[in-house]
Each structure stands twice: as structure tokens, then as C-alpha cells.
Amino acid sequence: MKKTYFPEISFVRAIACLLVILTHVTLAYPIEHLNSPTLFTLLINQLARVGTPIFALISGLLLFNSSKNKKLNIKTFYKTRFDKIVIPYLFWTIIYLILVKLTHAQSFQMKDMMRYIFLGEGYVHLYFMVVVIQFYLLFPLITKFINRNNILVVTLITTAFTAGWYLIRNDQPFDLFLHRAFLLNWLAYFFMGGFMALHMDKVKIWCSQHFSSLSIAVLVSIILMLAEMKLPHLYQSDRVANLLFVPVFTAFFMSLFHVKANDRWKSILEYIGDRSMGIYLVHLLVIGVMGNILPASFWNPDFMFIHYILVILCTLAVTEIIVTIPKSYYVFPVSKRITINRQELIKHSFYVR
């Protein structure tokens, strides 16, 4: 049985992708002299920190969805993931390391090559690819024990475990355990996605029926985020509060797709969502190039949203050029949409009414 394409998931993944870009654009300004525009960019940065955990959740959802209706062929599974994840990760690690060496954007030492590869330190965002690879390595084993009946209990346990881990990890003596690329920092989000995948029918119905409640929950979450902030100190994405905020925002974005989004915005965001991995891998390259060719006066926080739109457009242009290259799936994969049959279409239409 073929896995089903869920347009709302591409929609949510696109929003997560745009939030990640926003996180990095808002870090492009010097903070030596804190003023109102700079503080505003930092505030936006903190609100956007749900983007990467939502990416983790969606990765788990897609992975569980790909195997829920069929027996997992381990050899095919690892071969496919190696082609779609490991090769693009290694390719972009090399690209960013070359650019780092040429531009002196950060220190580069051959002795640190193992950290660049196995901890994703080739550039600041590549650690997340290592996180995904770790989960993929464990997934065939996970599927032997996790099913539709116990996924909720497992999700609750891993969420509690992850929260506890966040609270005690700074006391760990090993640098590896403190690193953001360590799977335990993200495990709960993968299982949240697994729960959604194995109960997708009910999740979609619930989200489409509770837009008002989810809107209030998002508003409360934003208020709590603002109360939590201690600018200019910045929180990372892997923190206890996000274990609450991320499922709330994810459910809200799914509800937004079904209740409020018009066809034009759905198409635009699904397009971005289908190319989200490429956008994630490319966008810091675009920011880096723009930072080197544009004058310093251009990077004024007063024009943050102009910078943001420009980075998005340039990143989309680069990814669109790359997908025209033969075997571009070795650079980054693009989601393939699967046509659902008439009976499934009627059922999906019922959910959104």
C-alpha cells in the first residue's frame, strides 16, 4: 500500500521552515548596541524558536506514516535514507566547510573533521541533520515495539523523559551529551509526530473542529514566551517550554490549513513545504553570500522584514535551480505528491467541514 500524501503536513512544514529562516535572519544584526529595533529582532527570534522542533515532529510523522501500512524492508529503508539524507548531508557539509575555509566565517581545523561530520559542526544548522540520521538508524528497531495502541503512552513517557533530560543535562561530564546533535534532546518530538501519524484521521478532525480553542492556546503560548524572555539572553529551541508550545503550534497550523487558508496560500506553502529540506540546507548559504556582497549599512534591523523576504526569495530561486540538475535528489530530496483515490478524497473532504 502506498503512503498517503498529506497536504496539511507540507503546509505545516513550510511554516516551520520559514520560522527557521526567520530565526537566522534575526541573528544577522550586531547586538553591541542594544536599541529598540535590535531588541525587537531578538524578540522575534525567540518567538520563532518553535520552527526546528516542529521540523523534528514532522520528520517523525513522515517516518511513521511511511511504514504504518506495510512491513518495513530494512535494507530498502536504509538505502533510501542514505540516498535522501546522508548523501545530501555530507554534500552540504563539504560545501559549507569549503566556504568557511575561503571566507574565514568561522575557525576551520582539520583535526576537528570528526566533529564536523558526526556532530554536524560543519555549519551552525547541520547538527539537525545528524539528529535526523540518528533517529533513522534506530527507527527499524522502534517499529518492532511501537504501534497505534501504545504510541500515546510512549509519547508521554518520552516527553517527560526529555523534559527531565533538559533539566539535568548540564551536569553531565561528557561533551557529547551536552551537544545539540544528541538525539535525546529531540526524541520527544519524533514520537509526537509518530502519534500524529498513527492517529492522523482523528488528529485532522480534531484540529479542524477546534480552531478557536487552538487560537487561544497559541495566544497564551505567545504570552508565556514573552514572559519567559530575558533579552538579550537567547534561549535555544531544545528547552522544556517548547515541549508544550510545539504541539500547540503544530495543531494550530494544521487547523489553519483546514479552516482559514485559501487555495492560493495553500499552494504557496505546500510548494515551500515540499522543498523544505533544500531550503533548510541552502538558506544559510544565501545569508552568508548576501552578508559578504552587500554593504554593512544594508543590515539595519529596521529593515528586518525586507531582509527576510529577500532571503526567502533568493533561497527559493537557488533551490529551484538545483532541482533542475540531473540527480539533484543527492543534493536534497523534494517531496513527491501522491494522488489519492476518489474514495479517499471524499473522506478527506469530510474532515474539513
Side-chain angles (χ1 to χ4, degrees), residues 201-266:
D201 292 350
K202 293 180 179 179
V203 168
K204 292 201 295 184
I205 293 174
W206 189 89
C207 288
S208 65
Q209 293 177 345
H210 291 83
F211 178 78
S212 297
S213 299
L214 287 169
S215 299
I216 294 172
V218 164
L219 179 60
V220 172
S221 297
I222 292 173
I223 293 172
L224 292 174
M225 287 178 175
L226 294 172
E228 182 190 25
M229 292 181 193
K230 297 179 181 178
L231 301 177
H233 172 73
L234 298 179
Y235 292 107
Q236 298 295 328
S237 300
D238 48 333
R239 69 186 199 274
V240 173
N242 267 356
L243 293 170
L244 171 64
F245 299 147
V246 166
V248 169
F249 275 87
T250 303
F252 172 73
F253 294 147
M254 287 189 65
S255 181
L256 190 67
F257 173 87
H258 286 297
V259 177
K260 293 296 183 180
N262 59 40
D263 290 341
R264 175 178 295 181
W265 278 109
K266 285 181 180 179

Side-chain angles (χ1 to χ4, degrees), residues 78-88 329-331 333:
Y78 282 131
K79 172 65 168 59
T80 302
R81 268 60 194 186
F82 184 83
D83 291 345
K84 291 184 176 181
I85 303 296
V86 177
I87 291 178
Y329 51 83
Y330 288 124
V331 180

